[in-house]
Amino acid sequence: MLNVRFGCSGCAFRTAAMKHCFYNETVGFFYNNSRKELTTYWRTKDVLVVALGLTVSVIVLLTNLLVITAIVINRRFHYPIYYLLGNLAAADLFAGIAYMFLMFHTGPRTAELSLKTWFIRQSLLDTSLTASVVNLLAIAVERHQTVFTMQLHSKMSNQRVMILIFCIWVTALLLGLIPSYGWHCLCALEKCSSMAPLYSRSYLTFWAISNLVIFLIMVVVYTHIFIYVKRKMTRMSKHTSFHPRYKETMISLVKTVTIILNPWPSAKLDSAQRNTLHLMHQRA
C-alpha cells in the first residue's frame, strides 16, 4: 500500500481526498485510463530493447567510473572545471544506474510494479537527466568566465565548487521527487498524461519547460563565447595581416581557444600558445 503522504498535502483533508484518490489501484489501471499500451508478455522488440539498454548502461557505468577515477587520482585535474566534469560524470553514472533499473522494471514487468516502485523508476530518470542538464549549464558558465578573463582555469575556490555541486543535486532531486510527494494524478485521473500515466500533465510540462530554459541559457552562454572569440580573432587578423608568422599565430590562437573550451587536453600550453593568449589579453 502506498504511503499516505503520496497524495494529500494536509491532514485535515486526508479523509476527503482518499474518497477520490486511487492509491490502491494497480499500474495497469492508470495505463488503461491513459490508453497507453501495457504488454503482459515478452515480445521480440521488448527483449531487444532490454538487452540493448543493459549493454548501454554497463558501458555508461564503466566509462564514467574511469572519468571519475582519473579526476580523483590525477592532481593536474584538481581544478573547478574538472570537479564539474567529474560531477557530470557522476550524473551520467547515476543515469546509467537509473536506466539499468528501468530495464529491470520495464516491458511486461511494468504491470507487476507497485505504484511506489513505478514512481521510484521515473524519479531516478528525471533526477539524473536534470542533474546532467544543470551541470552542463554550470560548466558553460565556468567556461564563459575563463574565456572572458583569459585564464585556463577559473579562480573559484574548492568550497564554492562543492556548494555549486550540492545545489545542482538539490535542484535535480527536487524536480525528480516532486511527483512522488503530491504532483501526480492519482486523485485526478482526467489530468493523467498519456506519456507517463501516473504523472500529471502539468508536472511534465513544468519539468520539460524547466529543462528547456536551462538548455537555452546554456546555448546563449556558448553563443556569447563564440561571438567574443570570433571578434578577438578578427582583431588579431587586422594587427597581424602583414606579419610573416600570421598563419602560425592564427593557428595557435585557434588551438588556445580549443584548449579553453575543451579542458580535457593537457593543461600545459606550448610557448606559441602562451604568447597568443597573452596577446589576446592585452588587446581585449
Side-chain angles (χ1 to χ4, degrees):
M1 184 175 178
L2 215 56
N3 195 307
V4 70
R5 66 182 177 181
F6 228 41
C8 305
S9 57
C11 295
F13 301 97
R14 184 173 300 164
T15 303
M18 287 295 290
K19 294 180 181 179
H20 303 90
C21 296
F22 299 87
Y23 299 124
N24 295 324
E25 293 292 345
T26 63
V27 169
F29 171 82
F30 293 95
Y31 273 67
N32 289 333
N33 174 70
S34 298
R35 298 180 180 179
K36 185 177 178 66
E37 182 183 10
L38 187 62
T39 60
T40 56
Y41 61 93
W42 286 97
R43 298 169 297 182
T44 302
K45 69 175 183 179
D46 294 327
V47 175
L48 292 175
V49 168
V50 170
L52 180 60
L54 289 175
T55 302
V56 171
S57 297
V58 171
I59 294 174
V60 169
L61 291 175
L62 293 177
T63 53
N64 285 285
L65 278 174
L66 288 175
V67 172
I68 295 173
T69 302
I71 292 174
V72 171
I73 66 176
N74 197 326
R75 295 183 62 86
R76 290 189 305 170
F77 297 152
H78 291 183
Y79 293 97
I81 181 60
Y82 295 109
Y83 292 141
L84 290 175
L85 286 171
N87 189 53
L88 179 61
D92 292 340
L93 181 70
F94 186 74
I97 295 174
Y99 199 67
M100 184 174 290
F101 186 85
L102 171 65
M103 291 299 99
F104 283 115
H105 297 84
T106 191
R109 293 195 183 101
T110 302
E112 303 171 2
L113 299 179
S114 65
L115 300 188
K116 185 175 182 179
T117 303
W118 190 94
F119 273 100
I120 291 174
R121 187 186 77 173
Q122 298 304 124
S123 295
L124 287 174
L125 294 171
D126 295 344
T127 300
S128 61
L129 181 56
T130 302
S132 295
V133 173
V134 177
N135 202 94
L136 285 171
L137 175 60
I139 291 174
V141 172
E142 195 278 343
R143 291 292 84 188
H144 184 276
Q145 180 185 3
T146 56
V147 168
F148 278 76
T149 56
M150 291 303 155
Q151 296 173 343
L152 189 60
H153 300 292
S154 68
K155 294 182 179 180
M156 187 186 303
S157 65
N158 291 341
Q159 183 179 6
R160 289 185 178 181
V161 175
M162 292 301 109
I163 292 175
L164 178 58
I165 291 175
F166 175 77
C167 291
I168 289 172
W169 283 103
V170 168
T171 302
L173 286 171
L174 284 176
L175 288 178
L177 293 177
I178 284 177
S180 300
Y181 288 87
W183 202 347
H184 49 62
C185 66
L186 273 62
C187 301
L189 296 182
E190 69 280 1
K191 297 181 179 180
C192 290
S193 167
S194 58
M195 182 180 299
L198 277 70
Y199 275 4
S200 170
R201 288 191 297 271
S202 59
Y203 165 75
L204 288 178
T205 301
F206 168 77
W207 182 84
I209 292 177
S210 299
N211 283 274
L212 180 60
V213 168
I214 294 173
F215 177 77
L216 290 177
I217 293 174
M218 182 173 58
V219 171
V220 170
V221 171
Y222 276 118
T223 301
H224 193 201
I225 291 175
F226 288 130
I227 292 175
Y228 176 81
V229 171
K230 184 178 179 180
R231 287 177 179 175
K232 294 306 168 185
M233 291 179 68
T234 301
R235 289 185 183 181
M236 286 291 296
S237 64
K238 290 180 180 179
H239 286 281
T240 61
S241 58
F242 299 99
H243 197 281
R245 299 187 63 185
Y246 164 72
K247 184 176 181 180
E248 180 182 351
T249 302
M250 292 306 298
I251 292 176
S252 297
L253 174 60
V254 173
K255 289 182 179 178
T256 303
V257 173
T258 303
I259 290 174
I260 292 174
L261 296 179
N262 180 13
W264 282 112
S266 172
K268 296 183 178 180
L269 297 172
D270 59 35
S271 58
Q273 292 168 340
R274 288 181 184 273
N275 293 335
T276 305
L277 183 59
H278 179 65
L279 186 57
M280 281 182 63
H281 184 48
Q282 285 184 328
R283 295 178 177 174

